[in-house]
C-alpha cells in the first residue's frame, strides 16, 4: 500500500514537473531575407531548427489553440499555414497581394490581412479558406490590431497616416484617426481601454481612446547620443495588466519601456541592430525582439527590464510569435 504522504509527495513532484514543462514554449521567428522560420526553445534560449518557407516571410501569428501557425509569404502573395509541431506546410490561404501583417479574431477566425500594394484589408475564413470581404483602406496598409471583444479591427495606413477602425460585423470604417507619419503597428490593451499606434517616421506612439478615436496622448522618445531620426517606433506590445508597454525603436537599437498608467517612458533597453517586432512568452516572463540587421533576437526579462540573451537566427529576422502552450 502506498502511504498518503508518499502519494502527496509524488503528486507534488508531478505538479512541479508539469509546471516546469508548461514554461517551455517555442518561439517562431520569420526571417524576411532568409525565406525561413527559426524555432527557439524559450526555456533554454537555444535554436531548435530553421525551416524553409515561402518568399519574404514577414507577419507571423499562431492560433489560440496553438495548432496552426500562420505566415505572410509576402512575395508569393499568400498566407502559409503550418503545423507548429512538425512545421509541415498544411495549406495556404488567399491573402490578396503583398500580405505584410495580419491579426486573428480573438476566437481564432477569421484572419484580417493588410495588403500593402492594393490598399485593402482582406478578411479570410481560416476554416473554409474563403475570402469574406475586401475592405478599402488608406494607402499602404500595414499595421493590424484587434480589440479584445473582437468588435473592431484597426488598420494603419503608412502613406495616409491614419488608423482605420473597421467594424467586424459590417466591414465598414467607423472611425478614421489621423496620426503621425508612417504608422506601422496597432496594439490594444487587454481591457480594450487604450490603443497604441506607432508612427515610424513621426517618431511617436499615439495613445488613442478606442471608444471615440480621439488621441489622448502622444509618446515621444529621447536617448542621449542618438539622433532623433533614428528613434523610429515600430512594434508595440502591452502586458496583460496594462502596466507596462514595450516599443521597438528601429535603428536606434533600443526597446523603450513605458509606464502603462502614465504613458511616460521609464527606460530604454539596448538590443540588437534595427529592432523591428516584439513578442511575449505566454507567461510574460520574457519579451523577444527581432533585430533585423544583426540577424538575431534578444530575450528581455520583463520584470527585471534587462536583456538576458541574444540568439542568432536567420537572415533579416522580422516577426516573432510564441506558442500559447
Amino acid at each position: 500500500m502506498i502511504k498518503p504522504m508518499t502519494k502527496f509527495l509524488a503528486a507534488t513532484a508531478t505538479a512541479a514537473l508539469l509546471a516546469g514543462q508548461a514554461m517551455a514554449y517555442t518561439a517562431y521567428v520569420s526571417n524576411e531575407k532568409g525565406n525561413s522560420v527559426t524555432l527557439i526553445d524559450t526555456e533554454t534560449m537555444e535554436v531548435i531548427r530553421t525551416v524553409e518557407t515561402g518568399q519574404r516571410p514577414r507577419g507571423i501569428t499562431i492560433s489560440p489553440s496553438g495548432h496552426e501557425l500562420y505566415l505572410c509569404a509576402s512575395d508569393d502573395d499568400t498566407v502559409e499555414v503550418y503545423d507548429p509541431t512538425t512545421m509541415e506546410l498544411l495549406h495556404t490561404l488567399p491573402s490578396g497581394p503583398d500580405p505584410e501583417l495580419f491579426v486573428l479574431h480573438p476566437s481564432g477566425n477569421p484572419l484580417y490581412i493588410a495588403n500593402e500594394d492594393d490598399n485593402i484589408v482582406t478578411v479570410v475564413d481560416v476554416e473554409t479558406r474563403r475570402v469574406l470581404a475586401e475592405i478599402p483602406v488608406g494607402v499602404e496598409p500595414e499595421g493590424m490590431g484587434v480589440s479584445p471583444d473582437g468588435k473592431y479591427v484597426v488598420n494603419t495606413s503608412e502613406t495616409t497616416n491614419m488608423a482605420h477602425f473597421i467594424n467586424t460585423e459590417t466591414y465598414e470604417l467607423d472611425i478614421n484617426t489621423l496620426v503621425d507619419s508612417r504608422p506601422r503597428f496597432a496594439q490594444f490593451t487587454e481591457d480594450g481601454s487604450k490603443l497604441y499606434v506607432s508612427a515610424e517616421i513621426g517618431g511617436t506612439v499615439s495613445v488613442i481612446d478606442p471608444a471615440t478615436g480621439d488621441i489622448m496622448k502622444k509618446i515621444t522618445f529621447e536617448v542621449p547620443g542618438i539622433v532623433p531620426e533614428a528613434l523610429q517606433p515600430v512594434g508595440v506590445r502591452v502586458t496583460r495588466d496594462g502596466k507596462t508597454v514595450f516599443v521597438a525603436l528601429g535603428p536606434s537599437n533600443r526597446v523603450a519601456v513605458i509606464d502603462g498608467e502614465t504613458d511616460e517612458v521609464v527606460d530604454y533597453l539596448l538590443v540588437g541592430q534595427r529592432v523591428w517586432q516584439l513578442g511575449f512568452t505566454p507567461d510574460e516572463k520574457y519579451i523577444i525582439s527581432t533585430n533585423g540587421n544583426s540577424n538575431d533576437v534578444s530575450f528581455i526579462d520583463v520584470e527585471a527590464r534587462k536583456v538576458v540573451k541574444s540568439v542568432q537566427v536567420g537572415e533579416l529576422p522580422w516577426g516573432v510569435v510564441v506558442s500559447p502552450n
Side-chain angles (χ1 to χ4, degrees):
M1 176 182 291
I2 301 175
K3 296 180 179 180
M5 181 55 72
T6 304
K7 286 184 177 180
F8 172 77
L9 292 174
T12 303
T14 301
L17 178 61
L18 290 175
Q21 291 175 339
M23 294 183 67
Y25 308 107
T26 301
Y28 301 85
V29 179
S30 60
N31 302 304
E32 181 180 5
K33 197 170 181 181
N35 299 327
S36 64
V37 168
T38 297
L39 283 64
I40 303 171
D41 184 312
T42 65
E43 186 175 24
T44 63
M45 300 182 194
E46 299 289 341
V47 171
I48 300 169
R49 61 190 291 210
T50 296
V51 180
E52 292 185 1
T53 64
Q55 300 297 301
R56 202 183 180 195
R58 290 186 285 178
I60 188 167
T61 194
I62 198 165
S63 63
S65 67
H67 294 156
E68 294 89 22
L69 181 74
Y70 299 93
L71 180 71
C72 285
S74 298
D75 283 357
D76 289 335
D77 297 334
T78 192
V79 169
E80 297 180 333
V81 184
Y82 290 86
D83 180 325
T85 302
T86 65
M87 287 306 293
E88 174 190 359
L89 178 62
L90 301 175
H91 55 265
T92 61
L93 297 173
S95 71
D98 193 22
E100 183 163 354
L101 268 171
F102 48 19
V103 68
L104 277 167
H105 188 276
S107 66
N109 193 26
L111 184 68
Y112 304 89
I113 308 164
N115 299 127
E116 189 171 22
D117 286 352
D118 214 20
N119 305 334
I120 62 170
V121 168
T122 300
V123 186
V124 178
D125 186 308
V126 299
E127 294 178 356
T128 64
R129 307 178 200 172
R130 292 191 306 110
V131 173
L132 301 178
E134 292 181 334
I135 306 162
V137 289
V139 179
E140 289 190 282
E142 176 162 341
M144 298 295 298
V146 62
S147 61
D149 59 11
K151 292 182 178 180
Y152 280 97
V153 166
V154 172
N155 165 253
T156 63
S157 53
E158 290 183 53
T159 301
T160 309
N161 301 329
M162 280 188 173
H164 308 284
F165 287 73
I166 302 169
N167 187 310
T168 57
E169 290 188 2
T170 65
Y171 298 135
E172 298 291 333
L173 302 187
D174 283 359
I175 302 172
N176 295 294
T177 300
L178 185 66
V179 294
D180 288 332
S181 180
R182 204 172 186 186
R184 301 301 294 263
F185 206 82
Q187 180 67 51
F188 282 88
T189 55
E190 188 73 14
D191 65 3
S193 64
K194 293 180 183 179
L195 172 71
Y196 293 90
V197 173
S198 62
E200 183 180 22
I201 302 303
T204 63
V205 172
S206 292
V207 186
I208 299 173
D209 180 350
T212 62
D214 295 335
I215 296 175
M216 299 185 290
K217 184 173 184 175
K218 286 189 180 181
I219 302 169
T220 57
F221 306 92
E222 185 176 351
V223 178
I226 302 294
V227 296
E229 293 78 17
L231 295 165
Q232 299 179 5
V234 190
V236 181
R237 294 295 180 189
V238 186
T239 54
R240 278 188 291 272
D241 61 12
K243 292 183 178 180
T244 310
V245 183
F246 294 87
V247 180
L249 293 177
S252 72
N253 308 334
R254 302 297 198 281
V255 171
V257 184
I258 296 166
D259 184 317
E261 296 178 345
T262 64
D263 289 321
E264 296 288 339
V265 180
V266 294
D267 206 353
Y268 294 98
L269 307 177
L270 180 63
V271 291
Q273 298 173 16
R274 191 60 172 89
V275 55
W276 195 251
Q277 299 292 349
L278 303 165
F280 283 113
T281 55
D283 57 8
E284 293 189 346
K285 181 177 181 180
Y286 300 112
I287 188 168
I288 303 167
S289 72
T290 57
N291 313 314
N293 288 352
S294 51
N295 296 331
D296 64 358
V297 302
S298 298
F299 277 77
I300 299 168
D301 185 307
V302 171
E303 185 176 357
R305 296 177 185 169
K306 180 181 178 181
V307 177
V308 294
K309 188 173 182 180
S310 293
V311 179
Q312 288 291 308
V313 290
E315 193 172 4
L316 205 65
W318 197 95
V320 58
V321 70
V322 183
S323 61
N325 42 42

